[in-house]
């Protein structure tokens, strides 16, 4: 069958290659040179095996230490992949926390494992009446029961909690809590005291080894791009053609028409259904639900070119949970935080050339007192450079140039709605069978042959989402034969 | 030799409900109340000569109708007078009214937003359905999902069946209510800021979360669960103040043969060979009973009355982590005249309802911002009622009592609570009220200011949390107060809990007391 996949991100490519391997003729539409997504890191084992990515040169990079943070007096705290080594570091701050560390890592790993299982398949449907669906539900329930009381209680109790409450129950060191808390608010329009941030923390922990609370980086996008077996067209779709309730093809930005009875979109579902399709095709309830998807962007990306190695792998500036909370307060009222959470990751590009990729949060999509312009972007870059320089003296002098992408820029450049890279914010009410809205949670739309496979879909983890979407599509195709 | 079948520690409304049900089933029951009057936080008192106040909790709605029926409370003097409206004054001098008369309410909403007026009925219908869906869970002992006991498995199956029976739309709406923030949830329905803020205010009551924090939408539903005489969502005053609720339950308990002893503070639960066998009073008296039921909050029950040495470590740790964080206070005023609100001058019908100081979500969020860094909100959320408008017996002729519920007032305030700080908090409240009703300052004859620390000291609730522990999702249902111990029994044989720190939580519902009594009767059968 002829299939069109819209998008050039990891999920689009995983979907495309999975369909192609099943014998379908797949064309991918989208600009090849899009910038790397910030989370091209961990990739589900199933995806690696199915597409044989290791043989094609996949490399996953886990910085070690995975994070470091400045301590008062110029010293640094570094946390390593090795749990015992991290515990030794933490002992500098608190013997009690060092003692807690291995147990904490193990408990978090257990819960992330449950999530990983749930993420490796299309979301369970709690309302299903089909025998297969009921079996799936029973299997999920059984799996949860098999965890034993401790992990099961953790799983049920921790997800709705705030990360502040979770960490306060385990640790006393502000620095440690700040570093861990930062992962819990990553790309989220919430502060560490908000409910549900513990879930975001665990969500981002999925796929990481025990004791590592930052995501990996990998070249997966490049590897997928180089894989043979699909056709690629450097065009964007302007319209999806629908007739008699079924998809018929796509009209390109140049006006050319491509016929296909299977179209899979990796873009933001709102844009896909409301802009590319005729909204008249859909139920008003669905339209309302689509408009209510929360996708608030809260982070800017600053890229700095450096004259030399900055002396850190990953440097996080989130000294306390209150620091994160105050940064969030600013953004609640439409201000870019004056003392944001900053996380800089070093990348050596080639001989002697270096870059720092900086995550800056909280930076709102819309400012209450004006709009994002170059002056404001430069101001943000200056702030970031100055803050890093305080923690790593001499850093500012090594900066050769900067580029800033605010949430508004990210929307424009990469199609992130309001600058939110997950398209639909990671939150308990937008996960599993609710992601992004219940009507679309199975990757299908009400238009026959039109599917969704982007980050807004379950589970929102690059690669895993595409693989789930492809499995649903292939199952549907088999059924209709 | 046991003197009684059951001792109930604490004569708050839940303790009394539990005692009444146990006595009704033929048990010899003794209630031990620390203070000179029963009622706990559901209590009326003549604080100033001639002026009676519902000192702490001040409205009724959630009290379970089956309790009213089973204990025949109206015959014992319970009389609930309806609260007709909520008016929210706005910064621009206007107001937003929500009235019990449907047409009037619609006209008023339409004045602010036609869209909201349209959405309001649909919203109300959905919340009504949601509340009905959740209601059966209120009167059950939550099954333990980690247990293999047939009763628990059956309970889980029943819950699954009930949830699946809701159908897609309502199931998903319930999922959203359980996981979203009140502000986001209401954003999907309404556009009028004051409407969203006033509704979301019920989502933050008794929690230490802002209206934009996930988890607050559920408490909104919690407050929709009330019913008076079969009418959902109705709020009212108990004639004579909320102490009348407790008094009526106490009368019912006594009629069934329960004994109630006031001025009888319990120092320790008597534990022999790992079994609760009675209580030791502060004066040293020992009273023995076949079982002991505590209506005190979980921390007080286990850390103080029982002592961690009698508990498994994991359990004690879980109790230590149970969150209280009282976040609300009260200011009770004796007034020489009625307040004159600028937005609605004169003594109109709005004074017979609630006045809500909640002009916008941002207003509430800023109030929370102050509190999370350890300060009392400079401009707090307030829920103001004037009970003497509906029940003239509360104040001398021509004079009035005003009850102001205030949030956020953190238990852990920077520098700790002092008398000066309490008065400053009182002043901040009065100043904020005066912005909307300028004559308030000159009308005040007396004032009583209550902080969470005062609630803890007077009523004995840890950290002054009005729900005996936050109503956050991770502390609800089979997690309340500790996973595996949500069915009113405790790790100590013969010791039960029946306070608001157990499922389904506070709000003068009485459900915890009733559920606990049912669990005890079932176990002793």
């Amino acid at each position: 069958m002829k299939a069109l996949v819209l998008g050039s991100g990891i999920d689009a490519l995983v979907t495309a290659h999975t369909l192609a391997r099943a014998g379908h003729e797949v064309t991918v539409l989208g600009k090849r040179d899009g910038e790397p997504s910030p989370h091209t890191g961990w990739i589900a084992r199933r995806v690696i095996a199915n597409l044989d990515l290791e043989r094609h040169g996949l490399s996953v990079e886990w910085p070690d230490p995975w994070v470091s943070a400045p301590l008062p007096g110029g010293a640094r705290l570094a946390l390593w992949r090795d749990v015992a080594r991290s515990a030794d570091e933490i002992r500098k701050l608190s013997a009690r926390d060092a003692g807690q560390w291995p147990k904490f890592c193990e408990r978090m790993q257990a819960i992330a494992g449950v999530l990983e299982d749930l993420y490796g398949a299309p979301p369970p449907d709690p309302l299903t009446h089909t025998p297969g669906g009921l079996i799936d539900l029973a299997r999920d329930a059984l799996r949860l029961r098999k965890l034993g009381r401790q992990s099961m209680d953790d799983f049920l109790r921790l997800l709705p909690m705030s990360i502040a409450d979770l960490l306060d129950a385990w640790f006393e060191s502000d620095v440690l809590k700040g570093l861990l808390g930062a992962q819990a608010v990553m790309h989220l329009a919430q502060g560490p005291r908000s409910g549900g941030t513990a879930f975001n923390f665990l969500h981002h922990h999925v796929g990481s080894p025990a004791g590592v609370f930052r995501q990996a980086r990998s070249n997966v996008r490049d590897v997928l791009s180089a894989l043979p077996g699909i056709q690629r067209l450097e065009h964007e779709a302007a319209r999806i053609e629908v007739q008699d309730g079924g998809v018929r093809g796509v009209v390109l930005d140049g006006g050319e028409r491509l016929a296909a009875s299977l179209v899979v979109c990796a873009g933001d579902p709102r844009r896909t259904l409301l802009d590319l399709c005729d909204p008249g095709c859909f139920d008003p309830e669905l339209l309302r639900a689509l408009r209510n998807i929360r996708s608030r962007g809260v982070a800017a990306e600053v890229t700095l070119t450096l004259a030399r190695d900055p002396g850190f792998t990953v440097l996080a500036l989130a000294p306390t949970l209150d620091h994160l909370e105050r940064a969030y307060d600013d953004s609640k009222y439409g201000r870019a935080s004056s003392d944001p959470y900053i996380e800089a990751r070093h990348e050596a590009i080639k001989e002697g050339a270096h870059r720092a990729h900086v995550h800056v949060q909280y930076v709102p999509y819309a400012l209450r007192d004006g709009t994002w312009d170059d002056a404001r972007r430069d101001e943000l870059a200056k702030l970031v450079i100055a803050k890093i320089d305080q923690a790593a003296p001499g850093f500012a002098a090594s900066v050769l140039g900067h580029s800033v992408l605010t949430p508004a820029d990210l929307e424009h450049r990469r199609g992130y709605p309001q600058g939110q890279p997950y398209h639909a914010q990671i939150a308990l009410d937008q996960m599993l069978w609710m992601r992004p809205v219940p009507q679309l949670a199975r990757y299908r739309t009400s238009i026959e042959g039109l599917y969704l496979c982007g980050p807004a879909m379950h589970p929102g983890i690059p690669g895993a989402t595409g693989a789930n979407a492809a499995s649903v599509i292939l199952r549907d195709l088999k059924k209709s034969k | 030799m046991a003197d009684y079948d059951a001792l109930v520690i604490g004569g708050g409304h839940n303790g009394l409900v539990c005692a009444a049900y146990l006595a009704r089933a033929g048990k010899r029951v003794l209630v031990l109340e620390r203070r000179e009057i029963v009622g706990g936080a559901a209590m009326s008192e003549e604080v100033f000569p001639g002026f009676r106040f519902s000192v702490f909790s001040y409205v009724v709605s959630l009290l379970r109708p089956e309790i009213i029926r089973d204990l025949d409370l109206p015959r014992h003097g319970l009389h609930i007078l309806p609260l007709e409206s909520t008016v929210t004054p706005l910064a621009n001098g206007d107001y937003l009214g929500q009235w019990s008369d449907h047409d009037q309410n619609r006209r008023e909403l339409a004045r602010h937003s036609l869209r909201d007026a349209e959405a309001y009925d649909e919203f109300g219908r959905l919340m009504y359905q949601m509340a009905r869906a959740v209601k059966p869970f209120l009167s059950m002992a939550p099954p333990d999902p980690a247990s293999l006991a047939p009763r628990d498995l059956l309970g889980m199956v029943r819950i699954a069946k009930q949830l699946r029976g809701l159908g897609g739309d309502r199931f998903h709406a319930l999922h959203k209510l359980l996981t979203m923030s009140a502000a986001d949830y209401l954003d999907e329905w309404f556009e009028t800021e004051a409407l969203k803020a006033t509704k979301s205010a019920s989502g933050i009551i008794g929690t230490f979360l802002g209206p934009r924090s996930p988890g607050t939408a559920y408490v909104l539903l919690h407050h929709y669960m009330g019913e008076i005489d079969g009418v959902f969502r109705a709020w009212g005053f108990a004639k004579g103040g909320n102490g009348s609720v407790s008094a009526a339950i106490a009368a019912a308990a006594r009629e069934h043969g329960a004994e109630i002893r006031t001025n009888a503070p319990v120092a320790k639960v008597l534990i022999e060979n790992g079994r609760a066998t009675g209580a030791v009073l502060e004066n040293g008296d020992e009273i023995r009973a076949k079982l002991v039921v505590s209506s005190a909050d979980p921390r007080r029950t286990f850390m103080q009355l029982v002592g961690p040495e009698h508990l498994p470590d994991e359990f004690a740790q879980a109790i230590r982590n149970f969150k209280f964080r009282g976040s609300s206070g009260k200011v009770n005023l004796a007034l020489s005249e009625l307040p004159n609100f600028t937005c609605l001058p004169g003594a109109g019908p709005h004074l017979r309802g609630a006045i809500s100081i909640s002009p916008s979500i941002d207003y509430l969020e800023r109030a929370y911002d102050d509190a999370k860094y350890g300060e009392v909100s400079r401009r707090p959320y307030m829920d103001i009622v004037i009970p003497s408008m509906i029940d003239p017996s509360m104040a001398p002729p021509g004079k009035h009592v005003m009850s102001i519920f205030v949030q956020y007032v953190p238990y852990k305030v920077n520098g700790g609570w002092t008398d000066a700080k309490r008065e400053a908090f009182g002043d901040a409240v009065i100043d904020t009220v005066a912005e909307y009703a300028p004559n308030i300052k000159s009308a005040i004859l007396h004032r009583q200011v209550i902080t969470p620390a005062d609630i803890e000291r007077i009523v004995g609730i840890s950290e002054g949390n009005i729900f005996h522990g936050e109503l956050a999702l991770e502390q609800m249902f089979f997690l309340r107060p500790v996973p595996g111990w949500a069915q009113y029994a405790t790790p100590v044989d013969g010791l039960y809990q029946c306070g608001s720190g157990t499922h389904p939580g506070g709000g003068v519902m009485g459900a915890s007391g009733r559920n606990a009594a049912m669990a005890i009767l079932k176990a002793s059968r």
Side-chain angles (χ1 to χ4, degrees):
Chain A
M1 176 179 280
K2 267 195 175 164
L4 292 175
V5 177
L6 276 49
S8 54
I10 295 168
D11 288 314
L13 293 170
V14 166
T15 308
H17 284 292
T18 312
L19 295 176
R21 294 201 166 208
H24 300 284
E25 194 184 311
V26 183
T27 305
V28 172
L29 296 177
K31 298 260 184 290
R32 210 177 256 270
D33 61 342
E35 285 142 278
S37 125
H39 293 282
T40 57
W42 174 72
I43 200 101
R45 279 187 287 270
R46 188 169 56 115
V47 176
I48 298 176
N50 286 351
L51 298 179
D52 208 5
L53 296 180
E54 259 161 10
R55 197 168 57 83
H56 288 93
L58 178 74
S59 77
V60 180
E61 175 213 347
W62 297 96
D64 210 21
W66 53 266
V67 81
S68 58
L71 294 172
R76 277 209 198 135
L77 170 77
L79 297 178
W80 305 81
R81 290 191 62 180
D82 180 3
V83 171
R85 189 169 176 192
S86 292
D88 283 340
E89 284 268 346
I90 295 168
R91 197 158 291 120
K92 291 193 269 189
L93 304 169
S94 153
R96 196 186 133 224
D97 289 1
Q100 294 273 72
W101 182 251
K103 200 161 68 171
F104 176 79
C105 295
E106 187 194 316
R107 294 264 288 266
M108 297 304 121
Q109 180 76 358
I111 309 174
V114 182
L115 290 178
E116 190 174 343
D117 281 347
L118 282 171
Y119 290 175
D125 175 9
L127 297 171
T128 183
H129 285 288
T130 67
L134 288 170
I135 290 170
D136 284 348
L137 274 185
R139 205 193 43 219
D140 285 335
L142 218 67
R143 204 151 49 187
L144 207 56
R145 311 256 335 199
K146 274 210 193 122
L147 290 171
R149 170 164 294 279
Q150 176 80 80
S151 294
M152 186 166 165
D153 286 348
D154 274 354
F155 184 76
L156 295 171
R157 202 169 60 85
L158 297 194
L159 300 189
M161 275 174 79
S162 79
I163 191 68
D165 288 338
L166 173 64
L167 295 175
D168 283 343
W170 280 93
F171 301 115
E172 59 186 12
S173 155
D174 282 338
V175 178
L176 183 61
K177 287 192 273 187
L179 281 179
L180 297 172
Q183 169 161 292
V185 295
M186 191 66 87
H187 290 297
L188 197 61
Q190 295 288 349
R193 288 170 191 269
S194 294
T197 42
F199 167 65
N200 201 45
F201 176 74
L202 292 160
H203 175 85
H204 288 299
H205 188 42
V206 170
S208 298
V212 176
F213 296 98
R214 286 298 186 274
Q215 295 190 322
R217 297 270 137 166
S218 77
N219 59 348
V220 64
R221 196 164 179 272
D222 299 335
V223 172
L224 286 166
S225 282
L227 275 188
I230 54 168
Q231 274 196 43
R232 299 199 65 168
L233 275 179
E234 299 254 338
H235 281 286
E236 301 280 344
R239 211 170 70 235
I240 294 170
E241 290 203 311
V242 178
Q243 212 178 18
D244 304 328
V247 74
R248 293 291 173 262
V250 158
V251 177
L252 300 183
D253 42 11
E256 193 192 339
R257 200 179 157 269
L258 294 178
S261 51
L262 174 61
V263 174
V264 193
C265 291
D268 166 25
R270 254 168 313 194
R271 206 179 100 73
T272 304
L273 301 188
L274 301 180
D275 297 351
L276 297 184
C277 299
D278 172 8
C281 299
F282 304 104
D283 184 56
E285 277 301 308
L286 173 64
L287 297 180
R288 192 167 105 164
L290 278 173
R291 275 189 284 269
N292 284 332
I293 295 175
R294 272 171 301 115
S295 54
R296 296 166 189 144
V298 286
E301 274 179 55
V302 176
T303 308
L304 304 171
T305 41
L306 307 174
R308 56 181 172 76
D309 187 324
F312 54 76
T313 51
V314 179
L315 180 75
L317 306 181
T320 64
L321 291 173
D322 269 359
H323 178 271
L324 291 167
E325 188 72 35
R326 284 183 198 278
Y328 165 57
D329 288 348
D330 283 334
S331 72
K332 270 199 307 203
Y333 308 110
R335 296 188 297 265
S337 167
S338 55
D339 195 0
Y341 152 49
I342 291 172
E343 187 156 319
R345 184 185 277 259
H346 167 231
E347 182 198 15
I349 344 174
K350 49 182 185 282
E351 209 51 39
H354 298 269
R355 256 205 302 245
H357 299 279
V358 192
H359 172 91
V360 193
Q361 190 171 336
Y362 297 78
V363 178
Y365 170 71
L367 295 167
R368 198 164 276 191
D369 64 334
T371 49
W372 284 106
D373 55 22
D374 281 338
R376 292 218 194 212
R377 282 191 200 93
D378 287 342
E379 212 177 291
L380 184 69
K382 251 189 236 157
L383 174 74
V384 166
I385 294 166
K387 292 281 176 194
I388 298 177
D389 191 66
Q390 279 173 18
F395 180 82
S398 76
V399 175
L400 302 174
H402 68 254
S403 79
V404 176
L405 293 175
T406 68
D409 300 326
L410 290 166
E411 177 177 69
H412 181 67
R413 295 274 278 275
R414 296 194 201 145
Y416 297 170
Q418 292 180 41
Q420 170 58 250
Y422 297 109
H423 293 191
Q425 216 163 286
I426 304 293
L428 284 171
D429 63 301
Q430 299 194 141
M431 289 310 284
L432 297 171
W433 51 81
M434 303 294 283
R435 186 162 185 86
V437 295
Q439 298 94 318
L440 299 174
R442 313 293 296 178
Y443 312 91
R444 302 180 187 106
T445 65
S446 51
I447 296 171
E448 206 193 326
L450 179 64
Y451 291 84
L452 300 168
C453 73
M457 311 307 291
H458 168 80
I461 287 179
T465 308
N468 288 346
S471 76
V472 168
I473 296 167
L474 290 174
R475 216 180 301 159
D476 284 1
L477 288 175
K478 209 186 260 171
K479 250 188 246 162
S480 66
K481 250 183 210 161
Chain B
M1 181 55 209
D3 309 312
Y4 294 92
D5 290 324
L7 283 185
V8 175
I9 301 176
H13 74 283
N14 271 317
L16 294 170
V17 166
C18 185
Y21 273 95
L22 292 178
R24 198 175 72 139
K27 304 277 180 199
R28 287 169 305 145
V29 183
L30 172 66
V31 179
L32 295 168
E33 167 56 41
R34 188 171 56 96
R35 302 189 63 204
E36 62 289 352
I37 41 168
V38 293
M43 182 269 281
S44 318
E45 198 172 28
E46 188 171 322
V47 181
F48 308 108
F51 294 90
R52 284 183 71 76
F53 291 89
S54 295
V55 178
F56 305 100
S57 80
Y58 59 100
V59 280
V60 199
S61 155
L62 303 174
L63 186 61
R64 303 305 307 145
E66 57 269 27
I67 295 175
I68 299 180
R69 214 170 40 231
D70 291 348
L71 300 182
D72 208 359
L73 296 183
R75 187 165 58 79
H76 291 290
L78 179 67
H79 184 41
I80 298 175
L81 307 160
L83 196 61
E84 300 280 357
S85 62
T86 302
V87 165
T88 310
L90 306 180
N92 64 6
D94 196 357
Y95 66 91
L96 170 79
Q98 295 175 69
W99 309 94
S100 60
D101 180 86
H102 180 263
D103 290 340
Q104 188 187 4
N105 192 52
R106 198 184 160 80
R107 276 196 305 276
E108 168 65 3
L109 283 174
R111 197 165 70 81
H112 295 272
S113 154
L114 219 48
R115 210 190 101 191
D116 287 0
E118 293 292 326
Y120 197 85
D121 285 346
E122 203 193 327
F123 178 81
R125 259 195 306 277
L126 181 71
M127 293 301 275
Y128 167 77
Q129 290 171 338
M130 293 292 96
R132 265 187 40 168
V134 176
K135 250 179 62 174
F137 298 125
L138 296 182
S139 48
M140 78 194 300
D144 178 1
S147 150
L148 285 170
R151 192 182 54 173
D152 289 304
L153 290 175
L154 221 66
M156 291 305 288
V157 169
R158 248 180 67 202
I159 290 176
K161 227 168 147 181
Q162 211 142 16
L163 290 177
R164 283 164 54 90
L166 289 176
D169 291 350
R170 281 181 284 165
F171 178 82
H172 295 131
L174 185 62
H175 182 130
K176 285 182 157 202
L177 273 171
L178 287 173
T179 50
M180 281 179 84
S181 78
D184 285 333
Y185 189 79
L186 291 162
D187 262 343
E188 295 193 357
W189 287 90
F190 304 114
E191 59 188 8
T192 307
E193 268 297 314
L195 179 63
K196 286 190 279 187
T198 305
K199 285 206 172 292
S200 74
S202 64
I204 56 172
I205 284 176
T207 72
F208 205 83
L209 293 170
R212 288 205 175 89
S213 167
T216 48
Y218 171 74
V219 189
L220 202 130
L221 180 61
H222 197 87
H223 284 84
Y224 255 88
M225 242 142 10
E227 57 186 310
I228 292 174
D229 297 336
V231 182
F232 256 101
R233 208 18 299 265
W235 289 84
F237 289 121
K239 191 168 172 14
N242 260 11
S244 310
V245 177
S246 307
I249 302 169
R254 282 200 187 96
E255 192 182 81
H256 286 299
E259 212 179 299
I260 298 171
R261 203 179 293 174
T262 52
N263 291 313
V266 172
K268 275 283 176 197
V269 173
L270 206 56
I271 294 174
E272 290 163 334
N273 303 321
R275 194 183 161 80
T277 53
V280 187
L281 300 189
E282 276 179 12
N283 65 11
D285 287 359
E286 273 186 26
I287 304 171
R288 291 183 176 265
K290 289 182 189 150
L291 53 91
V292 179
V293 194
S294 173
S295 72
D297 69 72
R299 186 186 293 172
R300 205 177 165 84
T301 300
F302 293 107
M303 294 296 121
Q304 219 168 307
L305 300 179
V306 171
E309 66 276 14
H310 294 292
L311 300 167
D313 286 348
E314 286 276 314
F315 181 87
Q317 192 52 39
I319 292 291
R320 278 186 206 105
N321 285 340
F322 191 67
K323 284 175 295 174
F324 286 91
R325 295 191 292 200
S327 57
S328 47
K330 276 280 301 273
V331 173
N332 293 318
L333 301 177
L335 300 177
S336 63
E337 59 171 355
L338 284 169
N340 194 10
F341 285 89
T342 329
C343 63
L344 265 170
H350 61 289
L351 297 184
R352 300 176 62 85
I355 309 281
S356 178
I357 307 298
S358 49
S360 69
I361 299 271
D362 270 1
Y363 178 96
L364 300 178
E365 197 68 38
R366 282 180 211 277
Y368 172 57
D369 288 347
D370 290 333
K372 66 188 180 188
Y373 305 116
E375 295 296 335
V376 174
S377 306
R378 275 162 290 188
R379 284 156 169 245
Y381 158 63
M382 291 185 274
D383 187 45
I384 304 172
V385 289
I386 309 168
S388 51
M389 281 295 286
I390 294 173
D391 178 1
S393 70
M394 301 294 279
K399 304 216 166 32
H400 288 278
V401 287
M402 186 191 245
S403 150
I404 311 174
F405 171 89
V406 192
Q407 192 158 338
Y408 297 82
V409 190
Y411 171 75
K412 285 185 185 135
V413 76
N414 293 335
W417 280 105
T418 60
D419 287 346
K421 232 174 200 150
R422 185 194 299 114
E423 293 318 306
F425 154 53
D427 291 343
V429 167
I430 303 299
D431 286 344
T432 311
V433 176
E435 288 175 23
Y436 301 95
N439 72 328
I440 192 78
K441 288 190 180 172
S442 60
I444 297 174
L445 300 170
H446 311 279
R447 84 174 188 195
Q448 178 189 33
V449 182
I450 298 165
T451 68
D454 297 325
I455 297 177
E456 182 181 63
R457 182 174 48 81
I458 300 167
V459 192
I461 306 174
S462 297
E463 298 189 24
N465 182 292
I466 59 171
F467 291 147
H468 284 211
E470 277 186 78
L471 277 189
L473 205 52
E474 67 271 21
Q475 302 196 152
M476 307 275 305
F477 205 47
F478 46 70
L479 303 171
R480 191 170 185 91
V482 173
W485 296 104
Q487 298 172 351
Y488 311 97
T490 71
V492 179
D493 277 347
L495 177 69
Y496 287 83
Q497 290 189 87
C498 73
S500 299
T502 60
H503 170 75
V508 200
M509 274 202 225
S512 293
R514 182 175 185 270
N515 291 355
M518 297 301 165
I520 292 166
L521 293 173
K522 210 169 178 184
S524 67
R525 220 178 278 148

